[in-house]
């Protein structure tokens, strides 16, 4: 398999990556055939996966605009993936050029491509770190050199918590991150769930099985379980809801929208 110029040396391009599969769902070009093959296999069970990812990105952009409207101009995006059109820094800095954005990911392709995209942008950085080790994120010099943690930060955990298994205790990791943030900070979350998917759980489980086979288990949590990540935060209206229903730009008619867009949940919380 020929290695593209943008692919960092040292990574195994024969193994699928969830970041690159996500890029494929969104119509990006930074993925390999092995990623496309895995994504297509998941879509055999859940054909609406691209629509779910589009709804996820649309929510993220609305949440960024909301944060700026609330006076929060610093963003920490953990599990940021491969940059695509309308990423956090593009949305935030398009509204406020002084906004600061720190991206975090542990996928070397995502990090390498992010560095290229952010070159020359003094108010945006990418750091290699893992959500499961919050202290390392807080103490990373690239992040601490950009963000002022004595001021409010919007913490984005968008489509990442469902890749953290219960055995890795994501609840504690999120709580530790919360404790690092100043009052007035925001937590922005999207999370996969069997609730809302227009399929039987058995059918949707076929797609989940694809992720298990590539050793990136997709953990489908209930609405109540997802809500526990907001412990210590006051939920922003309308609460934890399907992604298109969180402060939509226009009215949303659930009967006419693609039903896959309503899979999973999204919410924003504010730290008192």
């Amino acid at each position: 398999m020929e290695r593209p110029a943008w692919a960092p040396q040292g990574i195994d391009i024969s193994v699928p990556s969830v970041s690159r599969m996500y890029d494929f769902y969104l119509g990006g070009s930074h993925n390999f055939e092995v990623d496309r093959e895995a994504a297509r296999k998941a879509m055999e069970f859940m054909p609406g996966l691209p629509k779910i990812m589009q709804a996820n990105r649309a929510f993220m952009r609305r949440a960024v605009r909301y944060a700026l409207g609330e006076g929060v101009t610093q963003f920490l995006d953990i599990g940021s993936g491969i940059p695509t059109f309308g990423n956090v820094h593009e949305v935030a800095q398009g509204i406020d050029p002084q906004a600061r954005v720190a991206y975090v990911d542990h996928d070397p392709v995502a990090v390498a491509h992010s560095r290229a995209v952010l070159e020359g942008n003094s108010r945006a950085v990418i750091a290699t770190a893992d959500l499961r080790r919050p202290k390392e994120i807080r103490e990373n010099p690239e992040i601490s050199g950009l963000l002022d943690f004595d001021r409010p930060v919007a913490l984005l955990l968008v489509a990442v918590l469902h890749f953290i298994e219960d055995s890795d205790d994501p609840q504690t990791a999120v709580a530790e991150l919360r404790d690092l943030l100043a009052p007035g900070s925001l937590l922005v979350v999207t999370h996969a769930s069997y609730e809302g998917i227009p399929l039987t759980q058995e059918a949707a489980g076929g797609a989940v099985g694809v992720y298990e086979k590539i050793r990136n288990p997709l953990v489908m949590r209930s609405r109540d379980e997802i809500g526990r990540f907001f412990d210590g935060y006051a939920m922003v209206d309308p609460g934890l809801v399907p992604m298109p229903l969180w402060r939509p730009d226009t009215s949303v008619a659930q009967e006419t929208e693609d039903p896959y867009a309503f899979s999973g949940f999204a919410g924003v919380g504010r730290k008192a």
Side-chain angles (χ1 to χ4, degrees):
M1 182 185 301
E2 185 177 351
R3 180 181 296 273
W6 52 264
Q9 295 296 322
I11 68 163
D12 187 349
I13 63 175
S14 68
V15 177
S17 152
V18 293
S19 293
R20 299 192 303 266
M21 289 170 67
Y22 187 84
D23 179 66
F24 172 73
Y25 293 135
L26 289 173
S29 58
H30 287 82
N31 48 76
F32 307 130
E33 180 55 34
V34 66
D35 306 307
R36 296 188 286 273
E37 183 179 343
R40 292 187 192 106
K41 184 65 176 176
M43 288 170 62
E44 289 178 12
F45 298 100
M46 197 182 298
L49 277 167
K51 187 63 183 180
I52 295 172
M53 306 311 170
Q54 291 163 18
N56 184 76
R57 297 289 294 187
F59 160 78
M60 179 274 290
R61 292 191 287 267
R62 296 196 304 277
V64 169
R65 294 197 295 269
Y66 171 80
L68 290 166
E70 294 294 301
V72 179
T73 60
Q74 302 187 107
F75 299 85
L76 177 58
D77 184 0
I78 301 178
S80 51
I82 296 171
T84 55
F85 177 75
N87 216 15
V88 175
H89 73 280
E90 293 176 324
V91 177
Q93 294 175 353
I95 297 171
D96 181 353
Q98 302 304 308
R100 297 171 180 262
V101 180
Y103 294 111
V104 176
D105 209 290
H106 62 76
D107 184 328
V109 171
V111 172
H113 189 50
S114 296
R115 289 199 193 284
V117 169
L118 298 175
E119 186 175 0
N121 189 330
S122 63
R123 295 181 182 275
V125 300
I126 174 70
T128 302
D130 194 308
L131 169 60
R132 291 166 289 193
R133 292 185 283 277
K135 187 178 179 182
E136 292 181 13
I137 294 175
R138 173 65 179 84
E139 295 178 351
N140 183 286
E142 291 179 287
I143 296 171
S144 61
L146 180 71
L147 302 183
D148 178 1
F149 283 94
D150 291 328
R151 296 174 46 236
V153 171
L155 170 61
L156 279 69
L157 301 178
V158 176
V160 62
L161 286 168
H162 49 233
F163 290 115
I164 308 295
E165 295 183 89
D166 290 338
S167 58
D168 286 321
D169 197 4
Q171 192 81 37
T172 295
V174 174
E176 289 179 9
L177 286 165
R178 178 198 63 217
D179 293 344
L180 296 173
L181 301 178
S185 293
L186 301 173
L187 173 63
V188 178
V189 169
T190 63
H191 198 297
S193 177
Y194 284 120
E195 297 175 38
I197 295 178
L199 295 171
T200 65
Q201 182 169 328
E202 182 181 11
V208 173
V210 172
Y211 284 89
E212 290 177 350
K213 287 179 180 177
I214 65 171
R215 299 181 181 178
N216 281 283
L218 181 59
V219 184
M220 306 290 268
R221 295 187 172 98
S222 70
R223 184 178 183 276
D224 287 344
E225 290 172 323
I226 298 165
R228 294 189 194 114
F229 290 117
F230 289 94
D231 287 353
Y233 293 87
M235 292 300 296
V236 171
D237 286 340
L240 190 60
V241 296
M243 292 178 288
L245 301 182
W246 196 91
R247 295 178 179 248
D249 295 326
T250 58
S251 61
V252 176
Q254 193 158 348
E255 319 80 57
T256 58
E257 288 282 319
D258 188 316
Y260 277 101
F262 297 87
S263 305
F265 294 96
V268 175
R270 179 182 288 105
K271 182 178 177 180

